[in-house]
Amino acid sequence: MKSRIPVVLLACGSFNPITNMHLRLFEVARDHLHQTGMYKVIGGIISPVNDNYRKKDLVAAHHRVAMARLALQTSDWIRVDPWESEQAQWMETVKVLRHHHSELLRSLPQTEGPDHGRAHSLAPTGSALVFPAVPELKLLCGADILKTFQTPNLWKEAHIQEIVEKFGMVCVSRTGHNPKEYISGSAILQRYQHNIHLVREPVQNELSSTYIRRALSQGQSVKYLLPDAVITYIKEHNLYTGDSS
Amino acid sequence: MVKFRNAGDKEKISQASGEEKYNEQGVRVFHLDQQLQVLTMENSEKTEVVLLACGSFNPITNMHLRLFELAKDYMNGTGKYRVIKGVISPVGDAYKKKGLISAHHRVIMAELATKNSEWVEVDTWESLQKDWVETLKVLRHHQEKLEASSCDPQQDSPRLERPGRKRKWAEQRQDFGQKELLEPKTKDVPKVKLLCGADLLESFGVPNLWKREDITRIVGDYGLICITRAGNDAEKFIYESDALWKHRNNIHLVNEWITNDISSTKIRRALRRGQSIRYLVPDLVREYIEKHDLYSPESEERNVGVVLAPLQKNTAEANS
């Protein structure tokens, strides 16, 4: 019996604030990977970016983490991890991937010896796979991230390679992007395209955190665009009112 | 010395002709009821609006719920209207649309979806009728209901956003005297308006789907609030129709800047394919659908080969 490769999806980003669209990425990615027959998604991680990223209008990390936590209250497989946001400085995505990958390996049952991730015991028959396989950690993102690989000096070449070679990506398409184009336009991406899973989201959704922030600053309703618990948190803490902080 | 906040207030207060009181400093002091009169006068210049959405809601989605929020923000933002209530009116089973599941379930899902809403509710009148009911008749039903409860100050006023004020408003109306009760207060009766997406507006062009007179009455007597992404197409559609053009002031086009394409059709398709609908519909609705296994390839085959009720009715009347 062929067993599926376990996968954990990691999404990095500002989550300023988290929206239903972010949450949809996980659901859509999981469905896609399952329907390939090759993977079983066993977990999802949201990793809000460090305050030192210095993006415009970025509210404090502890708020962004708290909002993500509230949004994930009803999810039984996705969690928020504040590690990246708690570091002293901003760090490249590949380092976040490396961190969470080693954490994953550390949490595996057979990790006593030095050979991390390798099977120790064989099944009695010596054939079927019975022991847990090493989960793969994949970067979950919008397909527009593939485009940003082309922006000069935004990503290190070596990092792009490590991301697609050692980890893998799951890219969910948004309107106005043609992800296949981005892949064919880059030698590295083409070489590892088997490790870049392109997912079509049939429900076209242009919802973005930028839109949410603008609507909030104009006193407009954002109900049904993000979880109610997050909206309540935003109101209670007076976030995104448009006053300069 | 008498001081006033601003000149405008002085005029409004003298109209109210309440008791005039002054404190020790000689500053005019407003009795609580008079302050209320000032506030309500400003608000009473606005037309109160009830947003009515008709449709299959098969199932209801976050997009349907967004329509209400967008419409309310827009109408309140004009400064001329005050949206006091939203009504979801699921269509009856007699509509005979392909894939339409029982009204009973669609009503419950809409109720679950609006459980946490302070101003949007579900009305079952249309869904309980034996035959299919034209949208114009649903509008008329709800407008008459509002007028009936408006003439009698003892009955519940239409649900207001701030429940505490409701009582004071009703008390105040009694002070206006007997005469007011006999005359229908047309200015005070909230107006029902049809809330829809651009697809409904453009469906006016489908032969035999709508009666021409109905379209005229809907936009003429009631009004339309249409949430659309493609504002230009909608404007063009209105321009090309004499009936719509004539009542264009009663057709409010609200731009939905972000595409939020959560259609019920896509939800049903996702469910048939075992795909997640989380974050596209309220959690309670999703749980209800899962618990009752509502949408399947079989349910999608309902009413296949059956003519849609309005097409049947209008074609028959045209041929008679």
Side-chain angles (χ1 to χ4, degrees):
Chain A
M1 184 168 70
K2 190 173 129 187
S3 76
R4 292 170 175 238
I5 301 168
V7 168
V8 173
L9 298 169
L10 171 72
C12 299
S14 307
F15 300 102
N16 185 36
I18 192 165
T19 72
N20 282 349
M21 190 260 322
H22 293 125
L23 300 164
R24 273 303 291 165
L25 289 184
F26 282 89
E27 297 290 311
V28 164
R30 180 167 77 157
D31 281 346
H32 175 89
L33 290 178
H34 282 184
Q35 288 176 348
T36 63
M38 296 194 299
Y39 301 100
K40 179 167 160 51
V41 176
I42 59 170
I45 303 172
I46 285 184
S47 176
V49 80
N50 197 291
D51 285 336
N52 289 318
Y53 188 49
R54 296 240 176 275
K55 199 171 179 184
K56 184 171 173 280
D57 301 332
L58 196 66
V59 315
H62 71 93
H63 283 311
R64 292 182 286 117
V65 166
M67 288 188 285
R69 198 162 273 138
L70 286 169
L72 295 169
Q73 264 173 351
T74 58
S75 178
D76 60 357
W77 67 284
I78 311 167
R79 65 180 179 86
V80 60
D81 195 303
W83 178 83
E84 180 183 354
S85 66
E86 287 167 354
Q87 299 312 298
Q89 67 223 24
W90 172 76
M91 55 188 2
E92 290 99 328
T93 302
V94 76
K95 291 181 181 158
V96 184
L97 279 161
R98 287 178 199 155
H99 164 81
H100 286 288
H101 191 246
S102 64
E103 287 293 294
L104 252 184
L105 296 179
R106 261 202 289 167
S107 67
L108 287 177
Q110 75 278 18
T111 48
E112 258 123 41
D115 352 326
H116 291 288
R118 283 186 51 210
H120 296 290
S121 55
L122 288 168
T125 57
S127 55
L129 297 157
V130 171
F131 46 82
V134 179
E136 292 185 3
L137 180 71
K138 297 199 181 299
L139 183 64
L140 169 66
C141 57
D144 48 336
I145 296 298
L146 287 176
K147 186 165 189 219
T148 70
F149 283 168
Q150 297 166 9
T151 307
N153 296 326
L154 190 57
W155 299 83
K156 290 199 180 95
E157 289 273 309
H159 287 180
I160 297 177
Q161 170 139 0
E162 188 176 338
I163 289 171
V164 295
E165 183 187 355
K166 298 236 166 75
F167 299 102
M169 296 177 74
V170 184
C171 302
V172 182
S173 68
R174 283 231 253 192
T175 42
H177 291 278
N178 189 355
K180 287 192 180 147
E181 241 175 54
Y182 306 142
I183 294 180
S184 57
S186 151
I188 297 179
L189 297 185
Q190 261 207 301
R191 187 156 162 224
Y192 295 103
Q193 60 182 294
H194 58 278
N195 226 3
I196 302 173
H197 301 268
L198 298 178
V199 186
R200 278 234 92 89
E201 158 70 290
V203 176
Q204 283 311 314
N205 204 331
E206 286 169 7
L207 174 59
S208 68
S209 300
T210 306
Y211 175 87
I212 300 287
R213 294 196 303 271
R214 193 180 306 139
L216 285 168
S217 70
Q218 291 171 0
Q220 288 166 349
S221 164
V222 293
K223 205 165 160 66
Y224 313 114
L225 299 177
L226 55 172
D228 280 345
V230 180
I231 300 178
T232 305
Y233 183 95
I234 290 173
K235 299 241 149 85
E236 278 170 4
H237 293 85
N238 231 19
L239 304 176
Y240 308 119
T241 51
D243 306 331
S244 52
S245 45
Chain B
M1 186 161 85
V2 171
K3 283 183 186 172
F4 295 94
R5 280 269 163 89
N6 60 62
D9 281 345
K10 178 184 176 186
E11 256 159 85
K12 284 175 186 168
I13 291 150
S14 57
Q15 277 170 25
S17 64
E19 267 186 308
E20 287 184 17
K21 283 187 174 162
Y22 300 90
N23 70 7
E24 289 165 289
Q25 285 78 36
V27 176
R28 177 93 179 271
V29 174
F30 301 145
H31 189 265
L32 193 61
D33 280 346
Q34 289 175 326
Q35 280 180 328
L36 193 61
Q37 284 171 5
V38 169
L39 285 170
T40 52
M41 268 187 221
E42 285 168 352
N43 256 339
S44 77
E45 277 152 20
K46 298 185 188 182
T47 305
E48 290 188 333
V49 168
V50 170
L51 300 172
L52 172 73
C54 298
S56 307
F57 300 102
N58 187 36
I60 192 166
T61 72
N62 283 346
M63 186 199 69
H64 293 126
L65 298 162
R66 274 305 289 163
L67 293 186
F68 281 93
E69 300 292 308
L70 288 164
K72 180 166 115 165
D73 280 347
Y74 174 84
M75 295 297 276
N76 288 352
T78 63
K80 293 190 286 190
Y81 302 99
R82 196 163 83 83
V83 175
I84 60 170
K85 187 159 72 164
V87 177
I88 292 175
S89 176
V91 79
D93 290 333
Y95 188 49
K96 298 283 179 213
K97 193 173 180 181
K98 179 173 173 287
L100 192 69
I101 67 168
S102 141
H104 162 76
H105 287 307
R106 292 183 287 115
V107 163
I108 291 179
M109 287 190 285
E111 285 172 348
L112 289 169
T114 51
K115 201 170 166 195
N116 292 328
S117 176
E118 292 163 357
W119 66 286
V120 182
E121 60 189 49
V122 180
D123 189 282
T124 54
W125 178 81
E126 183 183 355
S127 66
L128 292 171
Q129 303 309 303
K130 189 170 71 70
D131 299 319
W132 169 72
V133 185
E134 287 95 331
T135 303
L136 176 63
K137 293 197 174 120
V138 184
L139 279 161
R140 190 175 295 146
H141 166 82
H142 284 278
Q143 186 64 56
E144 285 172 359
K145 217 169 107 174
L146 281 172
E147 275 159 21
S149 63
S150 212
C151 284
D152 182 358
Q154 300 301 326
Q155 271 187 34
D156 283 343
S157 313
R159 212 167 110 199
L160 300 174
E161 279 189 80
R162 280 166 278 177
R165 291 186 59 193
K166 184 167 129 180
R167 256 173 274 121
K168 288 182 187 170
W169 192 51
E171 283 166 2
Q172 198 199 343
R173 295 195 56 166
Q174 288 168 12
D175 293 343
F176 280 125
Q178 254 338 90
K179 187 180 172 208
E180 304 292 340
L181 291 175
L182 298 173
E183 292 168 2
K185 277 184 155 282
T186 45
K187 200 170 166 65
D188 287 341
V189 178
K191 297 276 182 277
V192 177
K193 292 189 186 298
L194 187 64
L195 168 66
C196 64
D199 54 339
L200 188 141
L201 183 70
E202 281 166 28
S203 79
F204 283 165
V206 174
N208 284 329
L209 190 58
W210 300 81
K211 284 200 203 97
R212 276 184 131 196
E213 319 86 74
D214 279 16
I215 296 175
T216 308
R217 294 212 90 104
I218 289 171
V219 293
D221 298 347
Y222 299 95
L224 209 64
I225 297 155
C226 178
I227 314 295
T228 169
R229 261 172 286 146
N232 290 336
D233 288 350
E235 278 174 5
K236 183 165 175 236
F237 188 78
I238 294 169
Y239 166 76
E240 286 174 357
S241 155
D242 286 345
L244 298 182
W245 177 254
K246 183 173 171 193
H247 300 287
R248 64 193 181 281
N249 291 331
N250 231 359
I251 303 174
H252 305 268
L253 294 180
V254 183
N255 242 311
E256 179 192 19
W257 294 110
I258 53 156
T259 312
N260 199 356
D261 191 18
I262 310 174
S263 72
S264 300
T265 305
K266 292 190 173 170
I267 298 294
R268 297 197 307 272
R269 188 177 295 136
L271 287 165
R272 291 197 302 275
R273 298 177 182 182
Q275 291 167 345
S276 166
I277 59 167
R278 242 178 199 263
Y279 312 117
L280 300 177
V281 303
D283 274 341
L284 289 173
V285 175
R286 182 182 50 84
E287 284 161 14
Y288 185 87
I289 292 174
E290 279 168 24
K291 183 173 170 195
H292 296 268
D293 204 12
L294 289 181
Y295 294 107
S296 62
E298 291 73 43
S299 69
E300 199 64 16
E301 289 301 296
R302 282 166 77 124
N303 294 320
V304 159
V306 178
V307 179
L308 201 68
L311 290 174
Q312 174 137 48
K313 191 168 183 195
N314 295 333
T315 317
E317 281 174 17
N319 291 339
S320 61

PDB file of all heavy atoms in Angstrom, chain A residues 60-81:
ATOM      1  N   ALA A  60       1.682  46.242  15.778  1.00  0.00           N
ATOM      2  CA  ALA A  60       2.584  45.443  16.607  1.00  0.00           C
ATOM      3  C   ALA A  60       2.332  43.952  16.473  1.00  0.00           C
ATOM      4  O   ALA A  60       1.186  43.502  16.397  1.00  0.00           O
ATOM      5  CB  ALA A  60       2.434  45.863  18.067  1.00  0.00           C
ATOM      6  N   ALA A  61       3.438  43.196  16.474  1.00  0.00           N
ATOM      7  CA  ALA A  61       3.367  41.752  16.253  1.00  0.00           C
ATOM      8  C   ALA A  61       2.450  41.064  17.245  1.00  0.00           C
ATOM      9  O   ALA A  61       1.713  40.132  16.872  1.00  0.00           O
ATOM     10  CB  ALA A  61       4.766  41.150  16.320  1.00  0.00           C
ATOM     11  N   HIS A  62       2.461  41.500  18.495  1.00  0.00           N
ATOM     12  CA  HIS A  62       1.637  40.772  19.474  1.00  0.00           C
ATOM     13  C   HIS A  62       0.157  40.873  19.113  1.00  0.00           C
ATOM     14  O   HIS A  62      -0.607  39.933  19.344  1.00  0.00           O
ATOM     15  CB  HIS A  62       1.916  41.250  20.902  1.00  0.00           C
ATOM     16  CG  HIS A  62       1.399  42.620  21.220  1.00  0.00           C
ATOM     17  ND1 HIS A  62       0.154  42.817  21.790  1.00  0.00           N
ATOM     18  CD2 HIS A  62       1.938  43.852  21.047  1.00  0.00           C
ATOM     19  CE1 HIS A  62      -0.031  44.126  21.959  1.00  0.00           C
ATOM     20  NE2 HIS A  62       1.024  44.765  21.511  1.00  0.00           N
ATOM     21  N   HIS A  63      -0.244  41.999  18.489  1.00  0.00           N
ATOM     22  CA  HIS A  63      -1.633  42.112  18.023  1.00  0.00           C
ATOM     23  C   HIS A  63      -1.886  41.163  16.864  1.00  0.00           C
ATOM     24  O   HIS A  63      -2.912  40.482  16.809  1.00  0.00           O
ATOM     25  CB  HIS A  63      -1.933  43.535  17.543  1.00  0.00           C
ATOM     26  CG  HIS A  63      -2.139  44.522  18.659  1.00  0.00           C
ATOM     27  ND1 HIS A  63      -2.976  44.283  19.732  1.00  0.00           N
ATOM     28  CD2 HIS A  63      -1.628  45.756  18.846  1.00  0.00           C
ATOM     29  CE1 HIS A  63      -2.953  45.326  20.538  1.00  0.00           C
ATOM     30  NE2 HIS A  63      -2.152  46.237  20.024  1.00  0.00           N
ATOM     31  N   ARG A  64      -0.945  41.134  15.926  1.00  0.00           N
ATOM     32  CA  ARG A  64      -1.158  40.312  14.731  1.00  0.00           C
ATOM     33  C   ARG A  64      -1.190  38.834  15.098  1.00  0.00           C
ATOM     34  O   ARG A  64      -1.965  38.060  14.515  1.00  0.00           O
ATOM     35  CB  ARG A  64      -0.088  40.623  13.692  1.00  0.00           C
ATOM     36  CG  ARG A  64      -0.242  42.047  13.120  1.00  0.00           C
ATOM     37  CD  ARG A  64       0.778  42.398  12.049  1.00  0.00           C
ATOM     38  NE  ARG A  64       2.089  42.650  12.597  1.00  0.00           N
ATOM     39  CZ  ARG A  64       3.165  41.918  12.327  1.00  0.00           C
ATOM     40  NH1 ARG A  64       3.074  40.878  11.531  1.00  0.00           N
ATOM     41  NH2 ARG A  64       4.337  42.221  12.860  1.00  0.00           N
ATOM     42  N   VAL A  65      -0.380  38.480  16.061  1.00  0.00           N
ATOM     43  CA  VAL A  65      -0.392  37.086  16.531  1.00  0.00           C
ATOM     44  C   VAL A  65      -1.710  36.787  17.235  1.00  0.00           C
ATOM     45  O   VAL A  65      -2.341  35.750  16.996  1.00  0.00           O
ATOM     46  CB  VAL A  65       0.802  36.820  17.477  1.00  0.00           C
ATOM     47  CG1 VAL A  65       0.631  35.518  18.226  1.00  0.00           C
ATOM     48  CG2 VAL A  65       2.112  36.833  16.699  1.00  0.00           C
ATOM     49  N   ALA A  66      -2.151  37.708  18.092  1.00  0.00           N
ATOM     50  CA  ALA A  66      -3.406  37.505  18.831  1.00  0.00           C
ATOM     51  C   ALA A  66      -4.584  37.377  17.877  1.00  0.00           C
ATOM     52  O   ALA A  66      -5.467  36.529  18.073  1.00  0.00           O
ATOM     53  CB  ALA A  66      -3.638  38.661  19.807  1.00  0.00           C
ATOM     54  N   MET A  67      -4.596  38.205  16.826  1.00  0.00           N
ATOM     55  CA  MET A  67      -5.712  38.149  15.878  1.00  0.00           C
ATOM     56  C   MET A  67      -5.711  36.824  15.128  1.00  0.00           C
ATOM     57  O   MET A  67      -6.764  36.215  14.909  1.00  0.00           O
ATOM     58  CB  MET A  67      -5.629  39.328  14.897  1.00  0.00           C
ATOM     59  CG  MET A  67      -5.989  40.662  15.544  1.00  0.00           C
ATOM     60  SD  MET A  67      -6.122  42.045  14.374  1.00  0.00           S
ATOM     61  CE  MET A  67      -4.401  42.375  14.008  1.00  0.00           C
ATOM     62  N   ALA A  68      -4.512  36.361  14.756  1.00  0.00           N
ATOM     63  CA  ALA A  68      -4.431  35.079  14.050  1.00  0.00           C
ATOM     64  C   ALA A  68      -4.918  33.959  14.964  1.00  0.00           C
ATOM     65  O   ALA A  68      -5.627  33.044  14.536  1.00  0.00           O
ATOM     66  CB  ALA A  68      -3.006  34.813  13.587  1.00  0.00           C
ATOM     67  N   ARG A  69      -4.540  34.051  16.224  1.00  0.00           N
ATOM     68  CA  ARG A  69      -4.963  33.022  17.171  1.00  0.00           C
ATOM     69  C   ARG A  69      -6.486  32.971  17.266  1.00  0.00           C
ATOM     70  O   ARG A  69      -7.099  31.914  17.265  1.00  0.00           O
ATOM     71  CB  ARG A  69      -4.356  33.322  18.539  1.00  0.00           C
ATOM     72  CG  ARG A  69      -4.346  32.129  19.475  1.00  0.00           C
ATOM     73  CD  ARG A  69      -3.379  32.321  20.634  1.00  0.00           C
ATOM     74  NE  ARG A  69      -2.021  31.901  20.309  1.00  0.00           N
ATOM     75  CZ  ARG A  69      -0.916  32.575  20.653  1.00  0.00           C
ATOM     76  NH1 ARG A  69      -1.016  33.700  21.319  1.00  0.00           N
ATOM     77  NH2 ARG A  69       0.262  32.124  20.312  1.00  0.00           N
ATOM     78  N   LEU A  70      -7.120  34.150  17.338  1.00  0.00           N
ATOM     79  CA  LEU A  70      -8.578  34.219  17.410  1.00  0.00           C
ATOM     80  C   LEU A  70      -9.192  33.638  16.146  1.00  0.00           C
ATOM     81  O   LEU A  70     -10.181  32.908  16.187  1.00  0.00           O
ATOM     82  CB  LEU A  70      -9.033  35.680  17.584  1.00  0.00           C
ATOM     83  CG  LEU A  70      -8.817  36.287  18.963  1.00  0.00           C
ATOM     84  CD1 LEU A  70      -9.044  37.788  18.929  1.00  0.00           C
ATOM     85  CD2 LEU A  70      -9.736  35.642  19.992  1.00  0.00           C
ATOM     86  N   ALA A  71      -8.588  33.967  15.009  1.00  0.00           N
ATOM     87  CA  ALA A  71      -9.131  33.482  13.734  1.00  0.00           C
ATOM     88  C   ALA A  71      -9.054  31.972  13.634  1.00  0.00           C
ATOM     89  O   ALA A  71      -9.880  31.339  12.974  1.00  0.00           O
ATOM     90  CB  ALA A  71      -8.356  34.105  12.576  1.00  0.00           C
ATOM     91  N   LEU A  72      -8.061  31.389  14.312  1.00  0.00           N
ATOM     92  CA  LEU A  72      -7.838  29.940  14.182  1.00  0.00           C
ATOM     93  C   LEU A  72      -8.498  29.131  15.287  1.00  0.00           C
ATOM     94  O   LEU A  72      -8.336  27.915  15.341  1.00  0.00           O
ATOM     95  CB  LEU A  72      -6.327  29.658  14.169  1.00  0.00           C
ATOM     96  CG  LEU A  72      -5.610  30.232  12.949  1.00  0.00           C
ATOM     97  CD1 LEU A  72      -4.096  30.158  13.131  1.00  0.00           C
ATOM     98  CD2 LEU A  72      -6.019  29.478  11.693  1.00  0.00           C
ATOM     99  N   GLN A  73      -9.262  29.815  16.117  1.00  0.00           N
ATOM    100  CA  GLN A  73      -9.933  29.133  17.229  1.00  0.00           C
ATOM    101  C   GLN A  73     -10.764  27.939  16.751  1.00  0.00           C
ATOM    102  O   GLN A  73     -10.842  26.924  17.413  1.00  0.00           O
ATOM    103  CB  GLN A  73     -10.887  30.109  17.944  1.00  0.00           C
ATOM    104  CG  GLN A  73     -10.275  30.760  19.171  1.00  0.00           C
ATOM    105  CD  GLN A  73     -11.182  31.835  19.751  1.00  0.00           C
ATOM    106  OE1 GLN A  73     -12.183  32.211  19.158  1.00  0.00           O
ATOM    107  NE2 GLN A  73     -10.818  32.338  20.899  1.00  0.00           N
ATOM    108  N   THR A  74     -11.398  28.110  15.590  1.00  0.00           N
ATOM    109  CA  THR A  74     -12.295  27.062  15.122  1.00  0.00           C
ATOM    110  C   THR A  74     -11.599  26.085  14.174  1.00  0.00           C
ATOM    111  O   THR A  74     -12.245  25.221  13.606  1.00  0.00           O
ATOM    112  CB  THR A  74     -13.495  27.676  14.381  1.00  0.00           C
ATOM    113  OG1 THR A  74     -12.996  28.467  13.297  1.00  0.00           O
ATOM    114  CG2 THR A  74     -14.317  28.539  15.315  1.00  0.00           C
ATOM    115  N   SER A  75     -10.291  26.235  13.998  1.00  0.00           N
ATOM    116  CA  SER A  75      -9.594  25.321  13.089  1.00  0.00           C
ATOM    117  C   SER A  75      -8.915  24.222  13.880  1.00  0.00           C
ATOM    118  O   SER A  75      -8.285  24.481  14.910  1.00  0.00           O
ATOM    119  CB  SER A  75      -8.548  26.087  12.280  1.00  0.00           C
ATOM    120  OG  SER A  75      -7.851  25.181  11.442  1.00  0.00           O
ATOM    121  N   ASP A  76      -9.037  22.995  13.365  1.00  0.00           N
ATOM    122  CA  ASP A  76      -8.433  21.893  14.113  1.00  0.00           C
ATOM    123  C   ASP A  76      -7.087  21.466  13.548  1.00  0.00           C
ATOM    124  O   ASP A  76      -6.498  20.491  13.983  1.00  0.00           O
ATOM    125  CB  ASP A  76      -9.390  20.687  14.149  1.00  0.00           C
ATOM    126  CG  ASP A  76      -9.715  20.175  12.743  1.00  0.00           C
ATOM    127  OD1 ASP A  76      -9.242  20.783  11.762  1.00  0.00           O
ATOM    128  OD2 ASP A  76     -10.456  19.187  12.630  1.00  0.00           O
ATOM    129  N   TRP A  77      -6.573  22.213  12.534  1.00  0.00           N
ATOM    130  CA  TRP A  77      -5.297  21.772  11.977  1.00  0.00           C
ATOM    131  C   TRP A  77      -4.314  22.905  11.706  1.00  0.00           C
ATOM    132  O   TRP A  77      -3.139  22.679  11.430  1.00  0.00           O
ATOM    133  CB  TRP A  77      -5.532  20.975  10.683  1.00  0.00           C
ATOM    134  CG  TRP A  77      -6.071  21.766   9.526  1.00  0.00           C
ATOM    135  CD1 TRP A  77      -7.356  22.204   9.359  1.00  0.00           C
ATOM    136  CD2 TRP A  77      -5.351  22.200   8.367  1.00  0.00           C
ATOM    137  NE1 TRP A  77      -7.474  22.881   8.180  1.00  0.00           N
ATOM    138  CE2 TRP A  77      -6.260  22.887   7.537  1.00  0.00           C
ATOM    139  CE3 TRP A  77      -4.036  22.069   7.931  1.00  0.00           C
ATOM    140  CZ2 TRP A  77      -5.898  23.443   6.311  1.00  0.00           C
ATOM    141  CZ3 TRP A  77      -3.663  22.618   6.714  1.00  0.00           C
ATOM    142  CH2 TRP A  77      -4.595  23.309   5.919  1.00  0.00           C
ATOM    143  N   ILE A  78      -4.780  24.159  11.816  1.00  0.00           N
ATOM    144  CA  ILE A  78      -3.883  25.289  11.567  1.00  0.00           C
ATOM    145  C   ILE A  78      -3.613  25.992  12.894  1.00  0.00           C
ATOM    146  O   ILE A  78      -4.524  26.156  13.717  1.00  0.00           O
ATOM    147  CB  ILE A  78      -4.518  26.300  10.605  1.00  0.00           C
ATOM    148  CG1 ILE A  78      -5.086  25.593   9.358  1.00  0.00           C
ATOM    149  CG2 ILE A  78      -3.490  27.354  10.174  1.00  0.00           C
ATOM    150  CD1 ILE A  78      -5.992  26.486   8.535  1.00  0.00           C
ATOM    151  N   ARG A  79      -2.356  26.403  13.098  1.00  0.00           N
ATOM    152  CA  ARG A  79      -2.034  27.148  14.316  1.00  0.00           C
ATOM    153  C   ARG A  79      -1.136  28.328  13.962  1.00  0.00           C
ATOM    154  O   ARG A  79      -0.540  28.376  12.879  1.00  0.00           O
ATOM    155  CB  ARG A  79      -1.328  26.231  15.315  1.00  0.00           C
ATOM    156  CG  ARG A  79       0.015  25.752  14.844  1.00  0.00           C
ATOM    157  CD  ARG A  79       0.681  24.833  15.871  1.00  0.00           C
ATOM    158  NE  ARG A  79       1.959  24.372  15.362  1.00  0.00           N
ATOM    159  CZ  ARG A  79       3.113  25.036  15.486  1.00  0.00           C
ATOM    160  NH1 ARG A  79       3.127  26.199  16.120  1.00  0.00           N
ATOM    161  NH2 ARG A  79       4.230  24.557  14.977  1.00  0.00           N
ATOM    162  N   VAL A  80      -1.041  29.272  14.897  1.00  0.00           N
ATOM    163  CA  VAL A  80      -0.145  30.400  14.681  1.00  0.00           C
ATOM    164  C   VAL A  80       1.123  30.167  15.489  1.00  0.00           C
ATOM    165  O   VAL A  80       1.073  29.633  16.600  1.00  0.00           O
ATOM    166  CB  VAL A  80      -0.821  31.743  15.068  1.00  0.00           C
ATOM    167  CG1 VAL A  80      -1.226  31.769  16.525  1.00  0.00           C
ATOM    168  CG2 VAL A  80       0.080  32.916  14.754  1.00  0.00           C
ATOM    169  N   ASP A  81       2.271  30.517  14.920  1.00  0.00           N
ATOM    170  CA  ASP A  81       3.538  30.369  15.630  1.00  0.00           C
ATOM    171  C   ASP A  81       4.239  31.724  15.703  1.00  0.00           C
ATOM    172  O   ASP A  81       4.586  32.307  14.673  1.00  0.00           O
ATOM    173  CB  ASP A  81       4.438  29.346  14.913  1.00  0.00           C
ATOM    174  CG  ASP A  81       5.598  28.904  15.800  1.00  0.00           C
ATOM    175  OD1 ASP A  81       6.368  29.790  16.241  1.00  0.00           O
ATOM    176  OD2 ASP A  81       5.717  27.684  16.054  1.00  0.00           O
TER     177      ASP A  81
END
